[in-house]
Amino acid sequence: SSSRDDDARGTAASALVARLLAAPLTLQLPLLLPASLFTLWRPFRRAVRTQVNVMPIVLRLKLFECQRFESDEARARALDELDEVLSRRFASFIGRMRGAFIKAAQVLGSLSPPPVRPKYVRKLEPMVDAAPGGRPWRHVRRQLNRELRRSGHTGGVEEVFSSFDREPLGTASVGQVHRAVLRDSGRVVAVKLQYPDAKRLILSDLGNIHGVLTVLGKKAEANVVKEYRPPASAKACRGSH
């Protein structure tokens, strides 16, 4: 059924392209530009959010290094106060971004000795066992219905499950798990849901994380992140098949 869906989408896309190419150039540009921007919008938005949230933190830390203090004790107190504010902002940003940022936070929070100061580690520790929050039920239901109907279950969630817990049992950086009961057998199952576009967004996030680490001067950590990102040529080859 998935191949038929792909064929149908391909036919529809080909028909749309044919119509666009047949239209005057003045009509083609306004229609093609939003379509291309929509494809790139989420990674671009996440890149902008990364810069907007991380760069002020980096700037505050750089400015602190330029400050003069009466004593080492005064400097330590000021740094502790600054870390309290910035680590709270940093953890809040990570929780909102999710994706690869959560995975990076889980790694940082579990390392010993930690590569960041204690305030940041304490704010990241809650993310080690589970990602904060989860997708709203309306998003979960929509994705489940889409996947089930592709496999022939036209009734969606109600056809397959007699009950389905709306609150997830657990959340991760790329998905979440729900408890459900199968309608035909009464068996209790765990349904793992992977977020749409998870792979594409994580690859984009890794690029953002690499940029942040580079700006912070963390060359070793940046090189580790770079190893997990496939080169552009490899991605292009996969996309051509």
Side-chain angles (χ1 to χ4, degrees):
S1 60
S2 60
S3 61
R4 287 196 297 269
D5 291 341
D6 292 339
D7 291 341
R9 284 194 292 269
T11 302
S14 299
L16 177 60
V17 170
R19 288 184 183 181
L20 289 174
L21 293 177
L25 183 60
T26 54
L27 293 179
Q28 290 181 29
L29 292 178
L31 291 172
L32 289 173
L33 186 58
S36 61
L37 290 177
F38 177 79
T39 303
L40 300 173
W41 171 242
R42 290 192 69 190
F44 173 75
R45 182 180 62 181
R46 292 176 73 82
V48 171
R49 288 174 64 186
T50 300
Q51 298 297 324
V52 168
N53 285 274
V54 173
M55 293 313 296
I57 296 176
V58 174
L59 182 60
R60 288 283 300 274
L61 291 172
K62 294 295 183 182
L63 290 175
F64 180 85
E65 293 176 0
C66 299
Q67 289 182 264
R68 294 184 178 181
F69 296 89
E70 296 179 355
S71 63
D72 292 341
E73 290 78 9
R75 179 183 179 85
R77 286 195 303 269
L79 181 59
D80 186 70
E81 294 174 1
L82 181 62
D83 279 348
E84 178 63 32
V85 174
L86 297 185
S87 63
R88 189 164 53 245
R89 292 181 183 176
F90 184 69
S92 175
F93 160 69
I94 294 293
R96 293 194 306 272
M97 292 295 286
R98 305 180 64 83
F101 286 89
I102 291 290
K103 187 61 64 178
Q106 291 172 339
V107 172
L108 289 175
S110 62
L111 292 178
S112 181
V116 293
R117 289 194 289 273
K119 292 279 186 183
Y120 294 86
V121 174
R122 283 195 290 271
K123 295 297 190 301
L124 296 175
E125 279 177 349
M127 302 180 190
V128 172
D129 296 325
R135 293 290 175 90
W137 168 246
R138 65 181 184 277
H139 294 166
V140 172
R141 180 186 177 86
R142 186 186 309 128
Q143 185 178 349
L144 280 172
N145 282 334
R146 182 168 59 248
E147 296 295 333
L148 290 171
R149 285 166 184 161
R150 284 178 179 174
S151 60
H153 300 286
T154 56
V157 176
E158 286 74 15
E159 178 187 343
V160 178
F161 304 102
S162 58
S163 69
F164 197 101
D165 290 355
R166 297 189 176 191
E167 293 297 322
L169 291 172
T171 59
S173 57
V174 296
Q176 57 196 61
V177 179
H178 291 259
R179 179 188 181 276
V181 179
L182 292 174
R183 184 172 296 279
D184 58 355
S185 65
R187 187 159 58 96
V188 177
V189 295
V191 180
K192 184 177 181 181
L193 185 75
Q194 180 174 303
Y195 299 142
D197 298 331
K199 181 178 179 180
R200 180 169 62 90
L201 291 178
I202 283 182
L203 289 176
S204 174
D205 287 347
L206 287 174
N208 295 328
I209 295 171
H210 179 268
V212 171
L213 292 172
T214 301
V215 170
L216 292 174
K218 304 285 186 178
K219 294 183 179 180
E221 291 83 352
N223 288 333
V224 172
V225 172
K226 188 176 181 180
E227 291 179 3
Y228 284 92
R229 297 188 70 217
S233 58
K235 290 188 286 185
C237 290
R238 283 200 297 269
S240 64
H241 291 293

